[in-house]
Each structure stands twice: as structure tokens, then as C-alpha cells.
Amino acid sequence: MPTGRAIDDARSLLFDAAERVLLRDGNAALTSRAITAEAGVAKGVLHRHFEDVDDFLAELVLDRIGAVRDTATALQERVGTGTVQDNVVGAIAELFESIASAVLELVTARDAVRARLRAAGSVGVPVLAEGTAMIAAYLEAEQDAGRVATEADADTLAATLVGAAHLLHAGRDTPAPDRAALERMVAAVLAGAVTG
């Protein structure tokens, strides 16, 4: 006779629990026991779906990278609508509502996670690198639409925007950078680039 209950989507349940633990308690608290306790499941559930905790954490980061790609698609659909600044602020705010800032500590502290991410093709600081690429692609599309100056360096602007947003958020207990501060920073960085 089976025991326990069926879990419809164990991966998502565990990923969401790990994100809460990471954001609340930091990288050092990410143990299989803490993650499964947060998820409300038996410890064996994690090990049934993943090789070990480092494999799980690498998959968590890759899952969150996938979410950035979804945001990038939505951002591209906003090209030519609203204002460039508002669109960038919204995308950056959404990026930092995830574990974007916490990933830096996670990848720095865990060699095995970093190695697995590199083997999966991730470069730079995961999540933040994809966020930077998202903003750069959006700015390039707005250049084509005539709303960003053609001489503007979209890659440099994107790196500046995401880096500055990270600095606005680093070490804070809030889920995202302060919106007003984010708006001021984006307006300052894009001041010479946005046309019209």
C-alpha cells in the first residue's frame, strides 16, 4: 500500500521552496532538509528527482534563466509601445523579483553548481547575464524602431542598467530594488539614448 501523497509538480514545488529559503536565509541555508521542509515534503522527494543538492540548485538556476527568457519575449512585444524607460524599468523590476541577486552568492559559494551551469552553457553571472542580454536585445529593437539613437551602444547600456540595478538591490531585504530609485537610475542611464 503506497504511503504519502502524490505531488503533481515536485520540481516547481521544490524550486519555489528553495527560492524562498535562499531569499530569506541565504545560500548557507540551502540544504536538502531546509528545502524539503519549506516545501512540506519528505527529504527523499528531492533526491528522487535530482542527483544531489548541487544538481538541484543548478537546475533551479536554469529554471529561473528560462523565466528570464519568457520576460524577454514579453519585452520584445512592447517594442514601439509605452515609453522605453517604463518598459526597461518594468523588465528590470521583474528580473530582480526573482533570485537574480541571490544567484551571485550561490554561484560564487558553490563550485559544483557553477561547474554544472558552465557545462550547461551558462556564461557570466547566471540570470543577470540573461537579463543583460534581454535589455540589450530590447534596446536594439527600439533602435530599429527609431526610439533609441542608432549610435547608442545597447550592450553597454544594458550592462550598466542591470549592474546599477544590482547595486541598488544588493544587501536589501526587499524582493526588488526600490521602484523610485530604479526609475531615476534608468532615466539617468538612458537620458542621452532615448530619442523623441
Side-chain angles (χ1 to χ4, degrees):
M1 176 173 238
T3 60
R5 62 180 171 86
I7 300 171
D8 292 331
D9 189 358
R11 287 175 59 93
S12 293
L13 183 69
L14 291 167
F15 287 162
D16 291 345
E19 185 170 313
R20 290 190 302 272
V21 170
L22 178 60
L23 293 174
R24 183 185 62 232
D25 303 324
N27 170 59
L30 283 173
T31 64
S32 58
R33 185 174 310 281
I35 294 163
T36 53
E38 181 75 24
V41 299
K43 185 177 175 187
V45 172
L46 187 142
H47 296 287
R48 192 172 314 125
H49 294 275
F50 301 94
E51 182 181 315
D52 56 26
V53 174
D54 289 329
D55 178 50
F56 168 79
L57 293 172
E59 289 295 323
L60 167 67
V61 173
L62 292 172
D63 180 76
R64 294 327 191 226
I65 288 171
V68 173
R69 292 185 181 130
D70 293 342
T71 301
T73 299
L75 183 59
Q76 285 296 319
E77 292 169 0
R78 291 196 291 273
V79 171
T81 66
T83 70
V84 172
Q85 290 172 338
D86 286 346
N87 291 341
V88 169
V89 167
I92 291 175
E94 189 171 334
L95 175 68
F96 281 90
E97 286 172 358
S98 73
I99 60 171
S101 290
V103 166
L104 180 58
E105 178 188 353
L106 175 65
V107 173
T108 302
R110 295 184 181 246
D111 293 338
V113 172
R114 186 172 54 255
R116 289 170 197 216
L117 290 169
R118 298 293 179 254
S122 180
V123 295
V125 178
V127 182
L128 294 178
E130 286 75 17
T132 302
M134 167 183 68
I135 299 298
Y138 169 73
L139 293 174
E140 288 169 356
E142 289 289 14
Q143 283 177 313
D144 294 341
R147 296 188 344 145
V148 171
T150 56
E151 65 274 11
D153 183 341
D155 291 330
T156 300
L157 287 171
T160 302
L161 288 161
V162 172
H166 178 69
L167 291 173
L168 286 173
H169 181 60
R172 309 293 191 292
D173 292 331
T174 58
D178 174 73
R179 187 72 175 218
L182 185 57
E183 289 170 353
R184 285 191 306 276
M185 180 274 292
V186 170
V189 171
L190 294 180
V194 175
T195 61

